[in-house]
Amino acid sequence: DAKTTQPTSMDCAEGRAANLPCNHSTISGNEYVYWYRQIHSQGPQYIIHGLKNNETNEMASLIITEDRKSSTLILPHATLRDTAVYYCIVSLEYGNKLVFGAGTILRVKS
Amino acid sequence: DGGITQSPKYLFRKEGQNVTLSCEQNLNHDAMYWYRQDPGQGLRLIYYSQIVNDFQKGDIAEGYSVSREKKESFPLTVTSAQKNPTAFYLCASSIWDQPQHFGDGTRLSIL
């Protein structure tokens, strides 16, 4: 499984867009990029995933570079409830092994 | 509502005892997974099962055992052979071409 690199932490003002970067330079052609988040003492929550095209759902947008070596998760209007650890994971679509790194701690501040 | 239920939320074990963590799903998902999370770290895969009566070891299976006798249930036993069992345990399930969804976890502590 490809490994990912994320910043340890980020701050974002409430109401502004939060842009969380992820590097995955060793991603293979059939691996997807997944994003999950985890609020303290809860199970991870699925956010979004994609292969090569940009994706958008009710929670977020995912921008994947053309060479697929990096991606950005965008929360368009961050709220205090978006404060969490965000994990970027690369895996086959039927993800038998989701390899979680340490993730990015996002702090949304009022 | 459909979902994944893990019980209990908090569990205490005496040294030398085996303990079983429950995971039940009513999502009709074929695959189920167990992960372990230590403080400040990401999740690590213990065991996973793609179909009933079949399961595979993950990255840290030593000291753990599982069974998959029913599609909706995937209990995890933490045996006395697991030297450092204190952790947050998470169960997940998925169906073909859909992402994994997680329960709310069981926090295991050693007395």
Side-chain angles (χ1 to χ4, degrees):
Chain A
D1 295 327
K3 293 186 177 178
T4 62
T5 304
Q6 300 177 252
T8 302
S9 65
M10 295 180 63
D11 291 338
C12 177
E14 189 177 21
R16 304 297 294 268
N19 296 286
L20 290 88
C22 179
N23 288 323
H24 32 79
S25 58
T26 60
I27 191 170
S28 61
N30 58 351
E31 286 184 313
Y32 286 69
V33 180
Y34 288 83
W35 283 86
Y36 282 79
R37 71 181 182 184
Q38 187 176 26
I39 297 169
H40 183 63
S41 295
Q42 296 182 20
Q45 177 190 23
Y46 165 78
I47 301 173
I48 199 167
H49 76 290
L51 182 63
K52 56 176 81 172
N53 297 323
N54 298 337
E55 301 287 345
T56 295
N57 63 20
E58 65 279 3
M59 290 182 67
S61 295
L62 174 60
I63 308 298
I64 303 174
T65 58
E66 192 169 344
D67 63 8
R68 302 210 324 123
K69 293 184 177 182
S70 65
S71 61
T72 300
L73 177 75
I74 301 172
L75 308 179
H77 305 286
T79 71
L80 298 178
R81 287 177 293 183
D82 292 321
T83 293
V85 180
Y86 286 77
Y87 297 101
C88 170
I89 301 160
V90 293
S91 181
L92 299 174
E93 186 173 30
Y94 192 39
N96 289 334
K97 293 183 68 175
L98 293 182
V99 180
F100 287 75
T104 295
I105 300 171
L106 175 68
R107 290 181 285 257
V108 181
K109 299 184 176 181
S110 57
Chain B
D1 287 347
I4 301 169
T5 301
Q6 291 190 243
S7 60
K9 192 169 180 65
Y10 298 95
L11 190 57
F12 299 92
R13 188 193 95 169
K14 292 183 180 179
E15 290 215 37
Q17 283 184 336
N18 294 350
V19 63
T20 297
L21 283 62
S22 170
C23 178
E24 304 278 331
Q25 54 98 359
N26 60 4
L27 301 167
N28 200 32
H29 285 177
D30 293 305
M32 296 186 74
Y33 315 81
W34 274 106
Y35 293 86
R36 168 185 172 134
Q37 186 174 34
D38 293 289
Q41 299 185 28
L43 282 67
R44 292 182 289 168
L45 183 65
I46 304 172
Y47 269 98
Y48 65 100
S49 166
Q50 296 188 17
I51 56 172
V52 174
N53 293 322
D54 187 50
F55 48 83
Q56 284 77 42
K57 293 182 179 180
D59 298 322
I60 55 165
E62 185 175 352
Y64 300 97
S65 66
V66 294
S67 63
R68 187 86 187 277
E69 297 177 2
K70 299 185 296 183
K71 187 175 185 178
E72 60 269 23
S73 178
F74 191 40
L76 173 74
T77 297
V78 183
T79 74
S80 56
Q82 170 50 238
K83 298 305 179 188
N84 186 21
T86 296
F88 189 39
Y89 291 88
L90 289 148
C91 178
S93 70
S94 70
I95 198 167
W96 179 255
D97 83 0
Q98 295 296 316
Q100 292 180 30
H101 292 273
F102 287 80
D104 281 335
T106 292
R107 196 168 297 277
L108 175 64
S109 300
I110 301 303
L111 295 177

